[in-house]
């Protein structure tokens, strides 16, 4: 944890759940958590409903992507302003599944992040190396390049969040060692402070990749880990709340 930062536990529901399931999961999280802020990111089609259910609660609602343009001829896409309009406050950008499945590069993530900031959404930018990159000793340089290429000015002061998500740890049940997570978070903190100044000392740096109740206590205790981005375990309310409970007081 970073002293002075209230941790955030963010749930990425990915492409899961019908309306009834989304409502049931959201209701189960409504009371929030003691030591951490909670954020849930349902699929686009459930955001309006879930945001309405969460009104007046301590749980924020976000999206998993947005388009870089405000409006226009972009079939199948959703703008940041539309997300804000239906109650989202955050948006995950540059998730490795978007980078892999939709060919998103740092320039695209940068443009989307700028659009999110313009619309008043808090962006959560995901970065992380592949297994081959880690095995080749390239993890630090890959992540530093992603940070340099995808974070615009204005991000830090707007409360932008960075999530370190090693691609090989997502949905696999595998995680880096605690030492490697702490080292990468320290590298990211230094890179952000070097570029943006002392304000970046309080930027939330989340870890994501196979976080579950059984490993959350040790991961959340690491220096510069200010919360988690949780995929699979965020679909089970008890597990998501157990991860939030693992945050040190
Ligand atoms: C994710 O997709 O952002 C993620 C962290 O997934 P999981 O927790 O399932 O590894």
């Amino acid at each position: 944890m970073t002293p002075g930062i209230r941790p955030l536990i963010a749930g990425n529901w990915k492409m899961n759940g019908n309306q009834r399931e989304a409502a049931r999961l959201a209701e189960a999280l409504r009371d929030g958590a003691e030591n951490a802020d909670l954020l849930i990111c349902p699929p686009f089609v459930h955001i309006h409903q879930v945001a309405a259910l969460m009104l007046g609660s301590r749980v924020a609602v976000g999206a998993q992507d947005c388009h870089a343009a405000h409006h226009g001829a972009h079939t199948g896409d959703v703008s940041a302003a539309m997300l804000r309009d239906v109650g989202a406050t955050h948006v995950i950008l540059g998730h490795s599944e978007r980078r892999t499945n939709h060919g998103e590069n740092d320039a695209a993530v940068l443009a989307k992040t700028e659009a999110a900031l313009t619309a008043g959404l808090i962006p959560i930018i995901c970065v992380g190396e592949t297994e081959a990159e880690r095995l080749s000793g390239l993890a630090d340089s890959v992540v530093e390049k992603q940070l340099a290429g995808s974070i615009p000015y204005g991000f830090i002061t707007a409360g932008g969040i960075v999530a370190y998500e090693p691609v090989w740890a997502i949905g696999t049940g595998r995680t880096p060692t605690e030492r490697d997570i702490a080292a990468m978070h320290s590298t990211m903190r230094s890179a952000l402070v070097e570029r943006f100044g002392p304000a970046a000392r309080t930027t939330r740096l989340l870890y994501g990749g196979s976080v579950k109740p059984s490993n959350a206590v040790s991961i959340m205790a690491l220096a510069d880990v200010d919360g988690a981005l949780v995929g699979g375990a965020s679909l089970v309310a008890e597990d998501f709340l157990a991860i939030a409970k693992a945050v040190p007081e």
Side-chain angles (χ1 to χ4, degrees):
M1 305 300 318
T2 308
I5 299 184
R6 184 166 162 84
L8 174 70
I9 306 298
N12 174 11
W13 291 5
K14 308 196 186 190
M15 195 173 72
N16 290 296
N18 59 27
Q19 285 194 70
R20 197 164 46 83
E21 289 161 342
R24 195 185 300 146
L25 181 52
E27 293 281 13
L29 301 171
R30 217 175 174 281
D31 289 342
E34 199 64 44
N35 299 334
D37 289 339
L38 295 189
L39 165 70
I40 48 180
C41 300
F44 285 139
V45 290
H46 301 319
I47 290 175
H48 188 235
Q49 176 197 208
V50 169
L53 286 170
M54 290 295 129
L55 268 184
S57 84
R58 293 159 58 197
V59 181
V61 178
Q64 302 168 19
D65 181 45
C66 71
H67 195 274
H70 184 266
H71 65 275
H74 302 288
T75 303
D77 283 313
V78 175
S79 77
M82 290 169 177
L83 295 171
R84 191 85 187 91
D85 185 49
V86 294
T89 53
H90 294 66
V91 59
I92 297 169
L93 294 170
H95 190 282
S96 65
E97 286 154 15
R98 304 269 340 155
R99 291 181 190 258
T100 304
N101 301 342
H102 299 268
E104 290 185 9
N105 58 18
D106 292 339
V109 178
L110 178 74
K112 290 177 177 213
T113 304
E114 284 169 339
L117 292 172
T118 301
L121 292 176
I122 297 176
I124 302 175
I125 295 182
C126 300
V127 295
E129 80 285 356
T130 62
E131 185 157 36
E133 289 163 342
R134 175 154 287 275
L135 292 174
S136 313
L138 296 173
D140 281 11
S141 59
V142 165
V143 167
E144 282 169 338
K145 186 164 169 287
Q146 289 173 329
L147 291 177
S150 56
I151 300 189
Y153 283 93
F155 176 85
I156 300 292
T157 48
I161 297 164
V162 176
Y164 169 52
E165 297 210 308
V167 178
W168 53 274
I170 294 179
T172 60
R174 298 163 60 207
T175 59
T177 63
E178 288 161 22
R179 196 191 168 107
D180 285 344
I181 295 174
M184 184 60 84
H185 279 240
S186 168
T187 297
M188 296 197 302
R189 180 76 69 202
S190 301
L192 293 175
V193 169
E194 189 176 317
R195 180 162 166 220
F196 295 104
R201 290 195 200 289
T202 52
T203 295
R204 279 164 158 166
L205 304 181
L206 311 183
Y207 168 76
S210 296
V211 176
K212 42 191 183 229
S214 57
N215 60 21
V217 171
S218 50
I219 294 175
M220 291 304 116
L222 297 171
D224 278 318
V225 174
D226 309 312
L229 180 52
V230 185
S234 73
L235 296 171
V236 180
E238 303 79 58
D239 288 353
F240 192 58
L241 292 172
I243 290 168
K245 232 177 165 175
V247 169
E249 307 215 354

